Amino acid sequence: MPTFADLGLPEAVVTTLAANGIESPFPIQAATLPDSLAGRDVLGRGKTGSGKTYAFLLPVVGRLTANPKSRRSGAFRALILAPTRELATQIDASLAPLAKATGLKSVTIFGGVGAQPQIQKLRDGVDIVIACPGRLEDHVKSGHADLSGVEITVLDEADHMADLGFLPPVKRLLDRTPRDGQRLLFSATLDNGIDVLVQRYLHDPVVHSVDSEQSPVSAMVHHVLHVDHDARFEVLADLAASPGRTIVFARTKYGAKGLARKLNSRGVPAVELHGNLSQNARTRNLGAFSDGAATVLVATDIAARGIHVDDVNLVVHADPPVEHKAYLHRSGRTARAGSEGTVVTLMLDSQVSDVRVLTRKAGVKPTVTKFAGASHPVLQEIAPGERTFSGPIVLETPEAPAQRPAGQSNRRRKPQRHSGSGGSGGSGSPGGNANGRRGRPRRSGAATSR
């Protein structure tokens, strides 16, 4: 395996990577870097957690550093498009030490926050823009962002952008970038209209696929727990109270809110992440999970892509996803960067057939256990260790209403009391009784994306 220095990255970049504990490239990085650093268009596919973020950040930083240019107000040299605010933020966090070491400036652009600070940074001049398509298109239309000088364009999680309906604005943005610019497209899968982007915008791309889109991370252990409805929450609470970090996936926003509230009532520090929260609340809750204040994150599929938190031991599908790709993306929040992890799907009688099809299409052969009640020895095998309950998480920062673009109303919300779940209300989740038990130690960690 070649080193980062062997691949031709600047010394400042190699030194910065080493200082952050990154000393050797992942397979997708080693495969794509020679072509991307040479200016070729690259189409890269790798499973979640395979290292795609640095696979495009490193050539962007390397190429801009090798050919420095003065900044122009409103213009920039590299554009990275991402489907969600959380992913854009975490890409920027990974870029930050590299940009500092090489003197590059970046800005993140997405909705849900005020536009003026973004506009000011664009006016001051930046080298790299990390953006969600909608808000960036607003800045382009208002004349605050100029794409005519973009030398490198990156599409990250392109298939997820297609799933979310972002292909029309992505195409409009790409149409404004120079035709002879370099384009790097990275995705876990290459369907849902991705072939249209490839044919229209990539020129003679080099294709690197480091794994099958159906193969799960080999370090994952998969379980299906066949439970009845009344015992469902009890089983979930037992798993959530085990040592380490846990991500729980719910089908709906209200289901996520309800589960987070019930877990907090049970004494498990949990926060929620879904589209009904303001950007401030989403950032706050993800930060609480990353720094260990909360040991459980209850999320909708918004968190299945691009949420990179170290040491997630367990992923629980409280509601099985509809299709196999969602299962793999959700499950990929654990067993990242070579670590091990466990994935549990809770299955009711009515879901047996759907889960069987789901796991078969995902290429997974889970261990299936049927429960007669709410307890079973397999729970200790899946998540060993003492169950501890420290009480609900209390976040001091109140949720601020999302700032809306000009022309839209920003209705005042009634004050809400928070116990880490981002608000009150919401049913849509399995039932359970609220009981307080013993304390649970906090864990520390950092949000990363590699």
Side-chain angles (χ1 to χ4, degrees), residues 44-353:
R45 183 178 72 190
K47 59 196 173 191
T48 184
S50 63
K52 295 190 294 292
T53 301
Y54 278 127
F56 61 77
L57 281 181
L58 294 177
V60 167
V61 172
R63 297 201 67 213
L64 296 187
T65 303
N67 182 28
K69 293 182 180 179
S70 58
R71 301 184 184 99
R72 293 189 295 121
S73 179
F76 41 93
R77 301 176 62 196
L79 170 62
I80 300 171
L81 291 174
T84 67
R85 307 166 188 174
E86 285 74 22
L87 181 54
T89 299
Q90 294 196 33
I91 291 171
D92 189 58
S94 294
L95 172 64
L98 301 175
K100 182 179 180 180
T102 54
L104 298 173
K105 292 180 64 177
S106 68
V107 62
T108 54
I109 291 178
F110 46 73
V113 296
Q116 195 56 42
Q118 300 170 0
I119 293 171
Q120 188 58 53
K121 287 186 178 180
L122 288 169
R123 286 175 179 168
D124 293 342
V126 296
D127 303 289
I128 303 169
V129 166
I130 304 167
C132 295
R135 175 59 68 86
L136 178 59
E137 191 170 36
D138 290 343
H139 289 325
V140 170
K141 290 178 179 177
S142 63
H144 297 299
D146 177 6
L147 306 187
S148 64
V150 173
E151 301 168 20
I152 309 170
T153 303
V154 178
L155 298 181
D156 189 24
E157 302 285 12
D159 53 342
H160 193 38
M161 279 198 269
D163 292 339
L164 294 175
F166 288 155
L167 287 191
V170 166
K171 291 177 182 177
R172 290 192 293 268
L173 291 170
L174 288 174
D175 285 340
R176 290 178 174 266
T177 63
R179 293 180 60 84
D180 58 353
Q182 182 183 18
R183 273 113 185 214
L184 310 176
L185 188 152
F186 286 85
S187 183
T189 59
L190 300 179
D191 54 6
N192 288 344
I194 302 308
D195 54 341
V196 175
L197 292 178
V198 173
Q199 294 172 13
R200 181 168 174 176
Y201 297 106
L202 272 67
H203 308 292
D204 190 25
V206 183
V207 180
H208 293 283
S209 184
V210 299
D211 54 54
S212 165
E213 66 184 68
Q214 288 189 316
S215 63
V217 177
S218 59
M220 288 182 193
V221 177
H222 298 263
H223 289 267
V224 172
L225 304 184
H226 188 170
V227 298
D228 60 55
H229 186 274
D230 292 339
R232 191 181 184 191
F233 180 74
E234 297 299 326
V235 173
L236 175 62
D238 181 277
L239 293 171
S242 65
R245 284 194 180 83
T246 299
I247 297 182
V248 176
F249 281 100
R251 182 175 58 86
T252 67
K253 303 169 186 177
Y254 298 104
K257 181 184 292 292
L259 280 179
R261 292 179 67 237
K262 290 177 184 295
L263 287 170
N264 273 292
S265 296
R266 180 57 58 86
V268 179
V271 291
E272 69 192 61
L273 187 68
H274 54 74
N276 271 1
L277 298 179
S278 71
Q279 184 58 39
N280 287 341
R282 287 161 68 167
T283 301
R284 177 201 64 194
N285 288 0
L286 183 58
F289 183 60
S290 299
D291 66 23
T295 52
V296 177
L297 176 70
V298 187
T300 57
D301 282 334
I302 191 175
R305 301 285 192 120
I307 301 301
H308 307 278
V309 178
D310 289 342
D311 303 324
V312 172
N313 304 68
L314 181 64
V315 166
V316 180
H317 303 284
D319 299 315
V322 175
E323 47 94 32
H324 73 281
K325 288 190 300 178
Y327 177 90
L328 293 175
H329 294 315
R330 285 179 173 190
S331 301
R333 298 311 98 201
T334 187
R336 301 184 67 81
S339 300
E340 297 180 352
T342 302
V343 179
V344 175
T345 302
L346 302 185
M347 178 179 71
L348 303 177
D349 289 341
S350 61
Q351 298 169 327
V352 171
S353 177

